[in-house]
Amino acid sequence: MKLALGTVQFGLNYGIANSSGQVDIEQVQQILNVARKSGITTLDTAIAYGNSEQCLGQVGIDSFHIISKLPPLPENVEVQTWVETQIQSSLQRLNIKQLDGLLLHRALDIVGESGAELQQALQDAVEQGWTKAVGISIYDPSELDQIVNVWKPDLIQSPLNVFDQRLIQSGWLKKLADLGVRIHTRSTFLQGLLLMPLENIPEYFLPWHEQLQNWHYWCIRQDINPLQAAFAFLNQISEVESIVVGVDTASQLQQILQDSKKQIDIDWHQWAISDKTLIEPSRWKINK
């Protein structure tokens, strides 16, 4: 199964469509039970996701493959010691012996001032058996222009959705696949924006009202819901190994499982939007 479960909501109050706040531990247990039964095998987390790792370790995740992320590399640290300390603390919180993947939350650290030491520390982490693979989490495929000629990751995680098609349009999706790099995608629903009813969309998004309205009207004409449509876009991209989605409740996950298999053969390029103030949630200015 291509679906992987994102866990930022387990440690933080996250997402513009999230009205219930951080997910409590009983609901986390229910979500993971549904994930297990449905065949989801990968959980995506990060040291920076509040107490997400601790929460996962508390409920028990032995049956899952875990991807976690190192926080940005601080200045003036001994890199090898810092990386080892971060990984060991992460494994302890998660209550596991090995990660399936370890990513850098700030990808450009790998080519920064301490890039060579960081590359060596990540290689050592694989050799020590602390993680099976190492890689980077990117926010813009242009970051790869600076990285891949210097250091080849085993795994990358990138935003990719029907509005944000930069990974495809830049040519990097094909290049990474040709290099044998595993590709995980996130921001499947653009932090929930693609699924929100038009009347609930915050004022910040008024400049793109026409695109959002067209998206919803197109879904109606296709006789599908926006969730099915968001997955239909990703389902036709064979290079993607895992599609990371986050949920607040077990019922949300059940709905996603039900609607995630849709296939639609159209030219998806028509929906691509290049405006970073829309497709990069870190730029959004919203009062929740």
Side-chain angles (χ1 to χ4, degrees):
M1 173 175 282
K2 275 194 174 186
L3 268 185
L5 187 62
T7 65
V8 61
Q9 289 96 328
F10 300 174
L12 296 169
N13 180 2
Y14 177 84
I16 61 160
N18 175 3
S19 58
S20 53
Q22 184 180 334
V23 181
D24 65 51
I25 198 157
E26 291 81 10
Q27 190 64 235
V28 169
Q29 186 70 72
Q30 291 176 37
I31 290 168
L32 294 184
N33 287 343
V34 171
R36 281 190 192 92
K37 289 174 186 171
S38 68
I40 291 173
T41 57
T42 300
L43 303 180
D44 176 81
T45 191
I47 291 170
Y49 290 171
N51 62 346
S52 173
E53 287 189 334
Q54 190 174 350
C55 174
L56 291 171
Q58 196 172 334
V59 298
I61 49 172
D62 288 347
S63 57
F64 292 102
H65 302 301
I66 309 299
I67 310 283
S68 194
K69 306 177 195 76
L70 290 173
L73 182 67
E75 294 181 9
N76 304 318
V77 292
E78 204 290 306
V79 176
Q80 183 78 38
T81 303
W82 180 83
V83 169
E84 181 174 345
T85 302
Q86 294 294 321
I87 295 172
Q88 293 305 323
S89 299
S90 194
L91 292 171
Q92 189 172 8
R93 285 189 295 271
L94 289 161
N95 198 22
I96 57 173
K97 292 186 169 61
Q98 185 184 49
L99 294 164
D100 187 67
L102 177 69
L103 309 181
L104 300 182
H105 225 141
R106 188 168 64 196
L108 292 176
D109 280 346
I110 202 71
V111 290
E113 272 186 35
S114 303
E117 296 98 312
L118 188 53
Q119 291 170 35
Q120 184 60 53
L122 293 177
Q123 184 181 326
D124 291 347
V126 174
E127 290 172 359
Q128 292 290 338
W130 300 331
T131 182
K132 292 180 184 175
V134 291
I136 50 177
S137 174
I138 63 169
Y139 293 88
D140 186 325
S142 63
E143 294 175 84
L144 296 167
D145 299 337
Q146 300 178 59
I147 294 169
V148 174
N149 289 334
V150 177
W151 180 77
K152 194 190 102 175
D154 303 316
L155 169 67
I156 74 123
Q157 187 186 103
S158 171
L160 182 62
N161 58 64
V162 71
F163 282 0
D164 182 358
Q165 300 186 29
R166 289 174 295 174
L167 190 65
I168 300 168
Q169 293 175 330
S170 64
W172 271 111
L173 180 76
K174 185 177 186 308
K175 286 183 204 169
L176 292 168
D178 290 346
L179 287 167
V181 177
R182 296 161 59 195
I183 301 164
H184 290 194
T185 65
R186 65 175 187 276
S187 200
T188 305
F189 313 125
L190 196 51
Q191 218 182 90
L193 180 64
L194 291 170
L195 311 184
M196 290 178 79
L198 287 169
E199 61 270 20
N200 293 354
I201 291 173
E203 193 175 333
Y204 172 80
F205 299 102
L206 275 176
W208 305 282
H209 179 78
E210 185 178 349
Q211 289 100 320
L212 291 162
Q213 186 178 61
N214 289 342
W215 165 248
H216 282 274
Y217 286 175
W218 178 82
C219 290
I220 291 167
R221 289 197 303 274
Q222 296 290 324
D223 194 27
I224 56 174
N225 63 49
L227 196 153
Q228 290 173 316
F231 273 110
F233 165 69
L234 292 168
N235 287 340
Q236 44 88 43
I237 304 171
S238 59
E239 294 89 348
V240 173
E241 177 184 273
S242 286
I243 301 167
V244 179
V245 296
V247 298
D248 305 326
T249 64
S251 60
Q252 276 183 10
L253 180 55
Q254 286 167 332
Q255 186 67 49
I256 285 171
L257 288 160
Q258 183 179 310
D259 286 349
S260 64
K261 299 176 178 64
K262 198 75 179 173
Q263 304 278 350
I264 302 174
D265 184 18
I266 67 154
D267 175 15
W268 290 98
H269 177 262
Q270 64 182 300
W271 294 111
I273 296 173
S274 59
D275 191 338
K276 292 183 181 182
T277 54
L278 174 66
I279 60 176
E280 291 189 1
S282 63
R283 297 173 184 258
W284 294 352
K285 294 178 173 61
I286 299 170
N287 297 318
K288 282 191 70 179

